[in-house]
Amino acid sequence: MATDGGTDDAGRFWQDDEPTRAQAALDPGPGWPQPSPETSGDDWIVQPTPPTGTGPLPVTPTAGAPTAGASMAPPPGSHGGPPWTAIVAAVVAGVLLLGAGGAALWFFGSDGEPAAGPPSTSTPTTTVTSTPPPTTTVTSTATPPPTTTVTTTAAPPSAAEQLSDKRDESLARLDTDGDWAVSLSAKQDGTRDDRQVTSSGSHVFRLPDILELHEGYESTYAWTDVYLLKAEDLGSTVGADDDKIWMTIVDPGWLTSREDAEAWCAVEFSWLSGDDLDNACYPRQLQAP
């Protein structure tokens, strides 16, 4: 609207139906957030256009326009004023930091150690644990009685027993067919023979010596029959002590006469003659007593 001598400021302010900033803030606009223009308190003050005439022109208020003395503060929700929310948040954060620092100083004290709290008035609890007495186990082990081992060693058979065994074995094989053989030894226990000696160098022959002499002849004439007999076992040797005299008889197997037996003795004991030869080798006929 125009006035005399100039342009109506109110009409200029509301020209082209442009909404005020307060109206724009109330208008929701599009469905997405719109950037808010930077505003200040001066945007709400209308700067009058100097009149072209000589005197002041009255300003007729228009409906909806701000009047003199009305508050020029931005409407709620406007971003044009100071950032009060940020200021309040900063103040609260500072207060919290100061409180945390003071609490830390109080807790650790001046020397960096935690501050001692008030003395405890609670009564300590004493726990008494009952320990069972140790168990003593007595193990009784019966000790077996000592074992006594009795080893009975049979005594070796005596010379008399061995002579008797050899006689029995000889009688089992003896053939009294009337042929001839030779007697190389005829002695009883205690016989003294000055022409022969024992292994110990004695001329007295005991039963062990007689047994040893016979075993020597068995080894020498192992190729033929060797018998151990008593004088009573042959009919050609009869005497008072024939039951005590032990004889070693050698049978070559081919002596059929006394002369054959004498010839055999002369060959076997060629270094002897006369009584010495008869003492060492004497003819005997194999016949039953």
Side-chain angles (χ1 to χ4, degrees):
M1 179 181 295
T3 57
D4 294 339
T7 303
D8 189 351
D9 293 337
R12 183 183 57 80
F13 184 83
W14 302 106
Q15 63 181 357
D16 298 330
D17 296 329
E18 178 182 359
T20 64
R21 296 184 182 273
Q23 293 173 337
L26 295 177
D27 186 3
W32 57 84
Q34 298 294 324
S36 177
E38 295 295 331
T39 60
S40 67
D42 295 339
D43 293 337
W44 298 93
I45 301 175
V46 177
Q47 300 295 333
T49 303
T52 57
T54 57
L57 295 178
V59 177
T60 303
T62 306
T67 60
S71 173
M72 294 291 107
S78 173
H79 299 277
W84 298 105
T85 303
I87 295 174
V88 172
V91 171
V92 172
V95 172
L96 291 178
L97 290 175
L98 290 176
L105 291 177
W106 175 84
F107 182 75
F108 288 101
S110 59
D111 54 354
E113 297 293 333
S120 176
T121 59
S122 61
T123 302
T125 302
T126 302
T127 303
V128 179
T129 302
S130 177
T131 303
T135 302
T136 303
T137 303
V138 178
T139 303
S140 177
T141 303
T143 303
T147 303
T148 302
T149 303
V150 178
T151 303
T152 302
T153 303
S158 63
E161 293 173 339
Q162 295 183 61
L163 289 171
S164 178
D165 291 342
K166 286 184 177 293
R167 179 194 178 202
D168 294 339
E169 186 272 333
S170 296
L171 289 173
R173 345 182 244 105
L174 179 62
D175 185 8
T176 55
D177 56 359
D179 286 342
W180 288 78
V182 295
S183 171
L184 301 183
S185 175
K187 297 177 176 62
Q188 65 180 3
D189 186 22
T191 298
R192 180 180 178 86
D193 190 342
D194 292 333
R195 292 181 176 92
Q196 291 181 332
V197 294
T198 65
S199 60
S200 62
S202 174
H203 290 282
V204 178
F205 286 80
R206 310 300 299 187
L207 292 180
D209 301 320
I210 296 172
L211 176 63
E212 182 181 9
L213 182 62
H214 173 78
E215 290 176 343
Y217 287 138
E218 283 183 324
S219 177
T220 302
Y221 299 101
W223 50 272
T224 189
D225 291 328
V226 179
Y227 303 101
L228 179 64
L229 302 173
K230 277 191 175 182
E232 63 181 0
D233 295 330
L234 295 176
S236 62
T237 57
V238 177
D241 297 327
D242 55 0
D243 60 336
K244 300 177 181 177
I245 298 174
W246 296 93
M247 297 188 306
T248 299
I249 303 298
V250 175
D251 182 10
W254 53 268
L255 304 179
T256 59
S257 64
R258 184 179 184 91
E259 290 75 15
D260 292 339
E262 291 176 347
W264 190 90
C265 287
V267 172
E268 290 295 320
F269 298 92
S270 59
W271 64 91
L272 297 176
S273 61
D275 293 340
D276 293 336
L277 179 58
D278 290 340
N279 185 70
C281 183
Y282 191 82
R284 298 289 182 180
Q285 188 176 15
L286 300 178
Q287 60 183 13

mmCIF file of all heavy atoms in Angstrom, residues 158-193:
data_model
loop_
_atom_site.group_PDB
_atom_site.id
_atom_site.type_symbol
_atom_site.label_atom_id
_atom_site.label_comp_id
_atom_site.label_asym_id
_atom_site.label_seq_id
_atom_site.Cartn_x
_atom_site.Cartn_y
_atom_site.Cartn_z
ATOM 1 N N SER A 158 80.716 -149.291 48.590
ATOM 2 C CA SER A 158 82.037 -149.710 49.057
ATOM 3 C C SER A 158 82.698 -150.606 48.016
ATOM 4 O O SER A 158 82.065 -151.093 47.057
ATOM 5 C CB SER A 158 81.912 -150.465 50.391
ATOM 6 O OG SER A 158 81.160 -151.663 50.200
ATOM 7 N N ALA A 159 83.984 -150.838 48.202
ATOM 8 C CA ALA A 159 84.723 -151.693 47.277
ATOM 9 C C ALA A 159 84.162 -153.112 47.299
ATOM 10 O O ALA A 159 84.061 -153.781 46.255
ATOM 11 C CB ALA A 159 86.201 -151.698 47.638
ATOM 12 N N ALA A 160 83.760 -153.594 48.494
ATOM 13 C CA ALA A 160 83.196 -154.948 48.590
ATOM 14 C C ALA A 160 81.900 -155.031 47.786
ATOM 15 O O ALA A 160 81.644 -156.039 47.098
ATOM 16 C CB ALA A 160 82.967 -155.313 50.046
ATOM 17 N N GLU A 161 81.058 -153.967 47.871
ATOM 18 C CA GLU A 161 79.793 -153.965 47.126
ATOM 19 C C GLU A 161 80.043 -153.925 45.619
ATOM 20 O O GLU A 161 79.363 -154.616 44.844
ATOM 21 C CB GLU A 161 78.932 -152.769 47.548
ATOM 22 C CG GLU A 161 78.437 -152.869 48.981
ATOM 23 C CD GLU A 161 77.726 -151.597 49.430
ATOM 24 O OE1 GLU A 161 77.960 -150.525 48.805
ATOM 25 O OE2 GLU A 161 76.948 -151.664 50.392
ATOM 26 N N GLN A 162 81.001 -153.129 45.187
ATOM 27 C CA GLN A 162 81.295 -153.060 43.750
ATOM 28 C C GLN A 162 81.873 -154.384 43.243
ATOM 29 O O GLN A 162 81.546 -154.828 42.127
ATOM 30 C CB GLN A 162 82.278 -151.908 43.487
ATOM 31 C CG GLN A 162 81.695 -150.543 43.805
ATOM 32 C CD GLN A 162 82.657 -149.424 43.469
ATOM 33 O OE1 GLN A 162 83.045 -149.271 42.308
ATOM 34 N NE2 GLN A 162 83.042 -148.644 44.487
ATOM 35 N N LEU A 163 82.730 -155.033 44.047
ATOM 36 C CA LEU A 163 83.276 -156.330 43.652
ATOM 37 C C LEU A 163 82.151 -157.368 43.520
ATOM 38 O O LEU A 163 82.132 -158.193 42.587
ATOM 39 C CB LEU A 163 84.315 -156.802 44.661
ATOM 40 C CG LEU A 163 85.651 -156.026 44.664
ATOM 41 C CD1 LEU A 163 86.501 -156.460 45.854
ATOM 42 C CD2 LEU A 163 86.410 -156.250 43.365
ATOM 43 N N SER A 164 81.206 -157.307 44.449
ATOM 44 C CA SER A 164 80.098 -158.255 44.408
ATOM 45 C C SER A 164 79.223 -158.025 43.175
ATOM 46 O O SER A 164 78.774 -158.994 42.539
ATOM 47 C CB SER A 164 79.273 -158.134 45.696
ATOM 48 O OG SER A 164 78.167 -159.012 45.680
ATOM 49 N N ASP A 165 78.999 -156.751 42.826
ATOM 50 C CA ASP A 165 78.182 -156.459 41.646
ATOM 51 C C ASP A 165 78.873 -156.962 40.379
ATOM 52 O O ASP A 165 78.224 -157.529 39.472
ATOM 53 C CB ASP A 165 77.931 -154.952 41.549
ATOM 54 C CG ASP A 165 77.006 -154.446 42.655
ATOM 55 O OD1 ASP A 165 76.294 -155.285 43.264
ATOM 56 O OD2 ASP A 165 77.015 -153.213 42.908
ATOM 57 N N LYS A 166 80.163 -156.765 40.274
ATOM 58 C CA LYS A 166 80.890 -157.204 39.084
ATOM 59 C C LYS A 166 80.901 -158.744 38.998
ATOM 60 O O LYS A 166 80.848 -159.330 37.902
ATOM 61 C CB LYS A 166 82.325 -156.655 39.111
ATOM 62 C CG LYS A 166 82.410 -155.171 38.797
ATOM 63 C CD LYS A 166 83.841 -154.720 38.755
ATOM 64 C CE LYS A 166 83.960 -153.252 38.365
ATOM 65 N NZ LYS A 166 83.535 -153.009 36.958
ATOM 66 N N ARG A 167 80.972 -159.410 40.136
ATOM 67 C CA ARG A 167 80.929 -160.881 40.130
ATOM 68 C C ARG A 167 79.594 -161.377 39.583
ATOM 69 O O ARG A 167 79.545 -162.305 38.764
ATOM 70 C CB ARG A 167 81.176 -161.394 41.548
ATOM 71 C CG ARG A 167 81.131 -162.907 41.633
ATOM 72 C CD ARG A 167 81.040 -163.382 43.059
ATOM 73 N NE ARG A 167 80.943 -164.843 43.127
ATOM 74 C CZ ARG A 167 80.443 -165.502 44.162
ATOM 75 N NH1 ARG A 167 79.977 -164.829 45.222
ATOM 76 N NH2 ARG A 167 80.404 -166.840 44.169
ATOM 77 N N ASP A 168 78.500 -160.762 40.057
ATOM 78 C CA ASP A 168 77.175 -161.177 39.588
ATOM 79 C C ASP A 168 77.044 -160.982 38.077
ATOM 80 O O ASP A 168 76.474 -161.833 37.375
ATOM 81 C CB ASP A 168 76.083 -160.388 40.316
ATOM 82 C CG ASP A 168 76.024 -160.711 41.801
ATOM 83 O OD1 ASP A 168 76.527 -161.801 42.201
ATOM 84 O OD2 ASP A 168 75.478 -159.876 42.556
ATOM 85 N N GLU A 169 77.550 -159.877 37.597
ATOM 86 C CA GLU A 169 77.476 -159.594 36.153
ATOM 87 C C GLU A 169 78.314 -160.603 35.357
ATOM 88 O O GLU A 169 77.917 -161.063 34.264
ATOM 89 C CB GLU A 169 77.956 -158.159 35.896
ATOM 90 C CG GLU A 169 77.799 -157.675 34.475
ATOM 91 C CD GLU A 169 79.027 -158.035 33.638
ATOM 92 O OE1 GLU A 169 80.128 -158.157 34.215
ATOM 93 O OE2 GLU A 169 78.872 -158.201 32.398
ATOM 94 N N SER A 170 79.467 -161.028 35.904
ATOM 95 C CA SER A 170 80.349 -161.978 35.226
ATOM 96 C C SER A 170 79.728 -163.379 35.190
ATOM 97 O O SER A 170 79.790 -164.089 34.161
ATOM 98 C CB SER A 170 81.704 -162.018 35.926
ATOM 99 O OG SER A 170 82.346 -160.771 35.833
ATOM 100 N N LEU A 171 79.145 -163.786 36.299
ATOM 101 C CA LEU A 171 78.520 -165.106 36.337
ATOM 102 C C LEU A 171 77.375 -165.229 35.329
ATOM 103 O O LEU A 171 77.107 -166.327 34.803
ATOM 104 C CB LEU A 171 78.010 -165.420 37.750
ATOM 105 C CG LEU A 171 79.087 -165.692 38.815
ATOM 106 C CD1 LEU A 171 78.464 -165.823 40.195
ATOM 107 C CD2 LEU A 171 79.896 -166.944 38.473
ATOM 108 N N ALA A 172 76.740 -164.094 35.058
ATOM 109 C CA ALA A 172 75.634 -164.120 34.109
ATOM 110 C C ALA A 172 76.119 -164.385 32.688
ATOM 111 O O ALA A 172 75.353 -164.897 31.859
ATOM 112 C CB ALA A 172 74.871 -162.812 34.174
ATOM 113 N N ARG A 173 77.367 -164.073 32.383
ATOM 114 C CA ARG A 173 77.875 -164.266 31.017
ATOM 115 C C ARG A 173 78.875 -165.421 30.900
ATOM 116 O O ARG A 173 79.300 -165.757 29.806
ATOM 117 C CB ARG A 173 78.585 -163.002 30.471
ATOM 118 C CG ARG A 173 78.462 -161.815 31.046
ATOM 119 C CD ARG A 173 79.197 -160.627 30.366
ATOM 120 N NE ARG A 173 80.223 -160.091 31.244
ATOM 121 C CZ ARG A 173 81.518 -160.293 31.099
ATOM 122 N NH1 ARG A 173 81.955 -161.029 30.117
ATOM 123 N NH2 ARG A 173 82.367 -159.770 31.936
ATOM 124 N N LEU A 174 79.284 -165.978 32.018
ATOM 125 C CA LEU A 174 80.316 -167.025 32.013
ATOM 126 C C LEU A 174 79.782 -168.321 31.353
ATOM 127 O O LEU A 174 78.666 -168.762 31.648
ATOM 128 C CB LEU A 174 80.771 -167.321 33.439
ATOM 129 C CG LEU A 174 81.821 -168.416 33.594
ATOM 130 C CD1 LEU A 174 83.124 -168.016 32.868
ATOM 131 C CD2 LEU A 174 82.064 -168.698 35.066
ATOM 132 N N ASP A 175 80.593 -168.877 30.489
ATOM 133 C CA ASP A 175 80.254 -170.145 29.817
ATOM 134 C C ASP A 175 81.286 -171.210 30.255
ATOM 135 O O ASP A 175 82.448 -171.178 29.838
ATOM 136 C CB ASP A 175 80.280 -169.965 28.305
ATOM 137 C CG ASP A 175 79.809 -171.222 27.574
ATOM 138 O OD1 ASP A 175 79.318 -172.160 28.252
ATOM 139 O OD2 ASP A 175 79.932 -171.250 26.356
ATOM 140 N N THR A 176 80.887 -172.093 31.113
ATOM 141 C CA THR A 176 81.786 -173.148 31.614
ATOM 142 C C THR A 176 81.698 -174.358 30.667
ATOM 143 O O THR A 176 81.084 -175.389 30.991
ATOM 144 C CB THR A 176 81.386 -173.537 33.047
ATOM 145 O OG1 THR A 176 80.000 -173.913 33.074
ATOM 146 C CG2 THR A 176 81.656 -172.398 34.003
ATOM 147 N N ASP A 177 82.318 -174.191 29.504
ATOM 148 C CA ASP A 177 82.264 -175.211 28.466
ATOM 149 C C ASP A 177 83.510 -176.118 28.447
ATOM 150 O O ASP A 177 83.684 -176.950 27.550
ATOM 151 C CB ASP A 177 82.075 -174.582 27.106
ATOM 152 C CG ASP A 177 83.158 -173.547 26.796
ATOM 153 O OD1 ASP A 177 84.040 -173.326 27.671
ATOM 154 O OD2 ASP A 177 83.123 -172.920 25.719
ATOM 155 N N GLY A 178 84.445 -175.911 29.388
ATOM 156 C CA GLY A 178 85.649 -176.739 29.459
ATOM 157 C C GLY A 178 86.836 -176.144 28.724
ATOM 158 O O GLY A 178 87.941 -176.694 28.785
ATOM 159 N N ASP A 179 86.635 -175.016 28.008
ATOM 160 C CA ASP A 179 87.780 -174.365 27.357
ATOM 161 C C ASP A 179 88.684 -173.753 28.417
ATOM 162 O O ASP A 179 88.349 -173.670 29.606
ATOM 163 C CB ASP A 179 87.317 -173.309 26.369
ATOM 164 C CG ASP A 179 86.728 -173.906 25.095
ATOM 165 O OD1 ASP A 179 86.987 -175.103 24.848
ATOM 166 O OD2 ASP A 179 86.005 -173.180 24.384
ATOM 167 N N TRP A 180 89.804 -173.240 27.914
ATOM 168 C CA TRP A 180 90.781 -172.696 28.828
ATOM 169 C C TRP A 180 90.825 -171.162 28.745
ATOM 170 O O TRP A 180 90.511 -170.560 27.737
ATOM 171 C CB TRP A 180 92.173 -173.270 28.537
ATOM 172 C CG TRP A 180 92.289 -174.710 28.948
ATOM 173 C CD1 TRP A 180 91.810 -175.785 28.290
ATOM 174 C CD2 TRP A 180 92.910 -175.184 30.113
ATOM 175 N NE1 TRP A 180 92.080 -176.953 28.952
ATOM 176 C CE2 TRP A 180 92.777 -176.599 30.111
ATOM 177 C CE3 TRP A 180 93.579 -174.609 31.201
ATOM 178 C CZ2 TRP A 180 93.278 -177.411 31.120
ATOM 179 C CZ3 TRP A 180 94.097 -175.451 32.181
ATOM 180 C CH2 TRP A 180 93.920 -176.815 32.146
ATOM 181 N N ALA A 181 91.251 -170.613 29.897
ATOM 182 C CA ALA A 181 91.440 -169.167 30.022
ATOM 183 C C ALA A 181 92.649 -168.956 30.924
ATOM 184 O O ALA A 181 93.321 -169.933 31.325
ATOM 185 C CB ALA A 181 90.196 -168.514 30.600
ATOM 186 N N VAL A 182 92.957 -167.758 31.290
ATOM 187 C CA VAL A 182 94.105 -167.454 32.153
ATOM 188 C C VAL A 182 93.634 -166.583 33.319
ATOM 189 O O VAL A 182 92.733 -165.764 33.188
ATOM 190 C CB VAL A 182 95.234 -166.727 31.379
ATOM 191 C CG1 VAL A 182 95.806 -167.652 30.298
ATOM 192 C CG2 VAL A 182 94.751 -165.434 30.781
ATOM 193 N N SER A 183 94.271 -166.748 34.470
ATOM 194 C CA SER A 183 94.004 -165.929 35.656
ATOM 195 C C SER A 183 95.145 -164.931 35.799
ATOM 196 O O SER A 183 96.314 -165.345 35.941
ATOM 197 C CB SER A 183 93.902 -166.821 36.896
ATOM 198 O OG SER A 183 93.853 -166.034 38.049
ATOM 199 N N LEU A 184 94.827 -163.620 35.808
ATOM 200 C CA LEU A 184 95.857 -162.563 35.905
ATOM 201 C C LEU A 184 96.020 -162.054 37.333
ATOM 202 O O LEU A 184 97.033 -161.408 37.639
ATOM 203 C CB LEU A 184 95.517 -161.389 34.980
ATOM 204 C CG LEU A 184 95.391 -161.721 33.492
ATOM 205 C CD1 LEU A 184 95.136 -160.458 32.682
ATOM 206 C CD2 LEU A 184 96.634 -162.462 32.997
ATOM 207 N N SER A 185 95.073 -162.361 38.205
ATOM 208 C CA SER A 185 95.166 -161.922 39.598
ATOM 209 C C SER A 185 94.273 -162.832 40.443
ATOM 210 O O SER A 185 93.136 -163.132 40.057
ATOM 211 C CB SER A 185 94.729 -160.463 39.754
ATOM 212 O OG SER A 185 94.718 -160.099 41.118
ATOM 213 N N ALA A 186 94.821 -163.251 41.632
ATOM 214 C CA ALA A 186 94.045 -164.059 42.587
ATOM 215 C C ALA A 186 94.446 -163.619 43.983
ATOM 216 O O ALA A 186 95.489 -164.026 44.501
ATOM 217 C CB ALA A 186 94.306 -165.558 42.380
ATOM 218 N N LYS A 187 93.626 -162.776 44.631
ATOM 219 C CA LYS A 187 93.989 -162.167 45.914
ATOM 220 C C LYS A 187 92.736 -162.037 46.768
ATOM 221 O O LYS A 187 91.628 -161.888 46.260
ATOM 222 C CB LYS A 187 94.642 -160.795 45.716
ATOM 223 C CG LYS A 187 95.960 -160.833 44.949
ATOM 224 C CD LYS A 187 96.491 -159.432 44.735
ATOM 225 C CE LYS A 187 97.862 -159.479 44.051
ATOM 226 N NZ LYS A 187 97.850 -160.104 42.698
ATOM 227 N N GLN A 188 92.942 -162.031 48.047
ATOM 228 C CA GLN A 188 91.895 -161.748 49.017
ATOM 229 C C GLN A 188 92.290 -160.503 49.817
ATOM 230 O O GLN A 188 93.415 -160.007 49.707
ATOM 231 C CB GLN A 188 91.648 -162.935 49.937
ATOM 232 C CG GLN A 188 92.823 -163.288 50.827
ATOM 233 C CD GLN A 188 92.529 -164.480 51.723
ATOM 234 O OE1 GLN A 188 91.467 -165.101 51.652
ATOM 235 N NE2 GLN A 188 93.495 -164.835 52.577
ATOM 236 N N ASP A 189 91.382 -160.028 50.608
ATOM 237 C CA ASP A 189 91.632 -158.791 51.360
ATOM 238 C C ASP A 189 92.804 -159.003 52.320
ATOM 239 O O ASP A 189 92.766 -159.891 53.187
ATOM 240 C CB ASP A 189 90.372 -158.392 52.138
ATOM 241 C CG ASP A 189 90.520 -157.026 52.842
ATOM 242 O OD1 ASP A 189 91.393 -156.235 52.397
ATOM 243 O OD2 ASP A 189 89.769 -156.766 53.795
ATOM 244 N N GLY A 190 93.903 -158.241 52.149
ATOM 245 C CA GLY A 190 95.075 -158.317 53.011
ATOM 246 C C GLY A 190 96.198 -159.155 52.438
ATOM 247 O O GLY A 190 97.218 -159.344 53.122
ATOM 248 N N THR A 191 96.055 -159.673 51.217
ATOM 249 C CA THR A 191 97.112 -160.483 50.627
ATOM 250 C C THR A 191 98.343 -159.631 50.371
ATOM 251 O O THR A 191 98.249 -158.511 49.854
ATOM 252 C CB THR A 191 96.641 -161.112 49.306
ATOM 253 O OG1 THR A 191 95.544 -161.985 49.571
ATOM 254 C CG2 THR A 191 97.755 -161.893 48.646
ATOM 255 N N ARG A 192 99.517 -160.240 50.696
ATOM 256 C CA ARG A 192 100.787 -159.561 50.421
ATOM 257 C C ARG A 192 101.416 -160.235 49.211
ATOM 258 O O ARG A 192 101.604 -161.448 49.181
ATOM 259 C CB ARG A 192 101.720 -159.637 51.619
ATOM 260 C CG ARG A 192 103.049 -158.930 51.362
ATOM 261 C CD ARG A 192 103.956 -159.030 52.564
ATOM 262 N NE ARG A 192 105.248 -158.385 52.298
ATOM 263 C CZ ARG A 192 105.491 -157.082 52.461
ATOM 264 N NH1 ARG A 192 104.524 -156.282 52.898
ATOM 265 N NH2 ARG A 192 106.696 -156.581 52.206
ATOM 266 N N ASP A 193 101.728 -159.412 48.201
ATOM 267 C CA ASP A 193 102.341 -159.927 46.972
ATOM 268 C C ASP A 193 103.631 -159.141 46.740
ATOM 269 O O ASP A 193 103.596 -157.955 46.413
ATOM 270 C CB ASP A 193 101.385 -159.764 45.799
ATOM 271 C CG ASP A 193 101.885 -160.496 44.558
ATOM 272 O OD1 ASP A 193 103.099 -160.831 44.482
ATOM 273 O OD2 ASP A 193 101.060 -160.709 43.645
#
